[in-house]
Amino acid sequence: MTARGTFRKAVEAKDLAAITSALDPGIEFHSPVMVRPYLGRESVATLLGVLLEVFEDFRYTDELVSPAPAGGLAAGGGPPAVALIFTARVAGKAVQGLDLLRFGDTGLVTGLTVMVRPLPAAMTLARVVGRRMEAAEGSGDPSDPVQH
């Protein structure tokens, strides 16, 4: 199974351990509502665990794969980028979204950017996830990206 297939199957199974094992230790996660990214496997796994709890009826509907870079892996190009389109609900509100995945040479996810719409659902997602992340991290730290 490909790295992108491993990540997708782990998310669909709601298997946080398998999702975490598909993440590069230096992963960078760009949230739809935070200015600064979440950095590192542990931080991103905590956030993804919260998202697994918050999203209701989550399902991927489409998968888009960029063409392989010129020359392929042998010429020093990285693996293609993958966009996984999803639908879900958060606190009863319908959400459409996209997970943009980048992979490193090891096949692990090095970059994950999430985009969601519509705005009212994104705002609800930000509130619900923000509260749960504060509780999960026990944080009152002003440098915490959840609070910015």
Side-chain angles (χ1 to χ4, degrees):
M1 181 175 294
T2 65
R4 73 176 183 264
T6 300
F7 179 85
R8 179 179 178 163
K9 292 289 184 203
V11 170
E12 290 173 332
K14 296 186 175 189
D15 183 344
L16 186 57
I19 294 169
T20 302
S21 69
L23 304 177
D24 185 84
I27 186 170
E28 190 170 295
F29 178 101
H30 292 271
S31 160
V33 295
M34 300 301 152
V35 174
R36 292 183 290 167
Y38 287 84
L39 302 173
R41 182 185 284 154
E42 185 177 317
S43 176
V44 172
T46 299
L47 176 59
L48 292 176
V50 168
L51 290 172
L52 288 175
E53 295 171 0
V54 167
F55 281 130
E56 306 156 13
D57 301 325
F58 181 94
R59 72 181 182 92
Y60 285 121
T61 59
D62 295 284
E63 181 172 330
L64 310 171
V65 180
S66 71
L73 293 174
V82 176
L84 299 171
I85 314 302
F86 65 85
T87 62
R89 289 182 304 110
V90 94
K93 293 187 180 182
V95 175
Q96 291 178 311
L98 177 142
D99 290 341
L100 177 60
L101 302 162
R102 299 259 179 217
F103 299 90
D105 295 336
T106 63
L108 297 176
V109 179
T110 58
L112 174 54
T113 300
V114 177
M115 296 176 229
V116 295
R117 66 162 302 280
L119 183 58
M123 293 171 63
T124 298
L125 180 64
R127 278 193 306 276
V128 172
V129 170
R131 279 189 227 120
R132 290 193 185 205
M133 284 299 290
E134 286 176 9
E137 295 175 344
S139 176
D141 180 353
S143 67
D144 184 347
V146 172
Q147 298 181 18
H148 296 282

